[in-house]
Amino acid sequence: MPRNPSILRYREDLVGFADVAFQMLSVQISANYLGYIKARVIPELGEFSSSPLRELRTLMTIAHFADPITGSRISRILSYDPATVSRSTKWLIENGLVTVKENTEDARSVLYGLTPEGLELSDMYRDLTRQSIAELNDADPEHPSPKEILKALTVLEKVRDRSQHAAKLGAEYKRQRKRKT
């Protein structure tokens, strides 16, 4: 029997129920992990502990790639609007963590890379995050197995793709309403 008997009421419309449940669960999961990262990881960043999380996410995205990347690529990866990426990279540049250079392949964009300080911060953030997750695993003996995690990630990627489709449809509905007025 499911943990939540109310699921049985939605058997006929399980996909509809799942869409609403995924929204609620994702907000809860995000809030819980965000609180954990802010309490456990961010304070350990020393001189970088005042770095905003949005900027850290942008920095970590840049750090993930061997070569400098464009703002539009950062935007796609993080699902941030381009203006948010511009504000975030501006903060990172002003704080000496990211470099910006001209994109010789596309004059409409620039390329972002890490400074030595940005590399230091990204390494520190990655190491502290890994350490904190290891501590979390030790404190939670019933954490999911690697097999369960891989299965969940596969499902979550499908849910993410579905949510991206929903966002596109939402934008189209908004454009249609605007045209009617």
Side-chain angles (χ1 to χ4, degrees):
M1 179 157 195
R3 282 178 62 192
N4 186 346
S6 66
I7 290 175
L8 296 176
R9 291 185 290 170
Y10 297 98
R11 192 174 301 251
E12 296 80 39
D13 186 24
L14 190 57
V15 172
F17 171 79
D19 281 335
V20 173
F22 286 141
Q23 291 174 51
M24 292 186 312
L25 291 170
S26 66
V27 168
Q28 293 170 352
I29 292 167
S30 179
N32 291 337
Y33 276 116
L34 181 61
Y36 182 71
I37 294 295
K38 285 182 174 180
R40 172 61 185 88
V41 176
I42 303 294
E44 299 293 323
L45 293 175
E47 67 179 290
F48 302 113
S49 64
S50 63
S51 301
L53 194 55
R54 177 184 69 194
E55 281 66 22
L56 287 171
R57 288 178 180 142
T58 302
L59 180 82
M60 295 309 291
T61 301
I62 296 167
H64 181 76
F65 296 94
D67 296 321
I69 66 170
T70 63
S72 61
R73 189 161 185 200
I74 296 168
S75 179
R76 280 191 310 276
I77 291 167
L78 293 175
S79 293
Y80 287 171
D81 65 84
T84 298
V85 172
S86 291
R87 286 189 300 275
S88 184
T89 53
K90 180 181 177 189
W91 187 94
L92 291 165
I93 292 164
E94 289 173 353
N95 285 276
L97 300 169
V98 165
T99 62
V100 61
K101 67 179 184 177
E102 138 183 353
N103 184 350
T104 57
E105 294 178 18
D106 183 355
R108 297 169 296 168
S109 68
V110 295
L111 296 169
Y112 299 103
L114 296 180
T115 65
E117 294 81 9
L119 181 59
E120 177 187 349
L121 175 55
S122 68
D123 287 346
M124 186 185 320
Y125 184 80
R126 183 189 60 247
D127 292 345
L128 284 167
T129 301
R130 285 181 179 160
Q131 178 184 342
S132 70
I133 296 301
E135 291 169 4
L136 177 62
N137 289 342
D138 290 344
D140 178 18
E142 295 186 31
H143 64 82
S145 69
K147 185 176 179 178
E148 290 170 319
I149 290 169
L150 289 173
K151 186 175 181 178
L153 285 172
T154 300
V155 172
L156 287 172
E157 287 173 346
K158 290 179 181 181
V159 172
R160 181 212 48 216
D161 295 346
R162 182 172 171 79
S163 72
Q164 289 171 338
H165 183 68
K168 288 176 186 174
L169 284 176
E172 180 58 32
Y173 291 138
K174 189 175 181 179
R175 282 191 292 276
Q176 289 175 1
R177 279 196 308 275
K178 228 178 195 180
R179 279 188 234 136
K180 290 179 183 178
T181 59

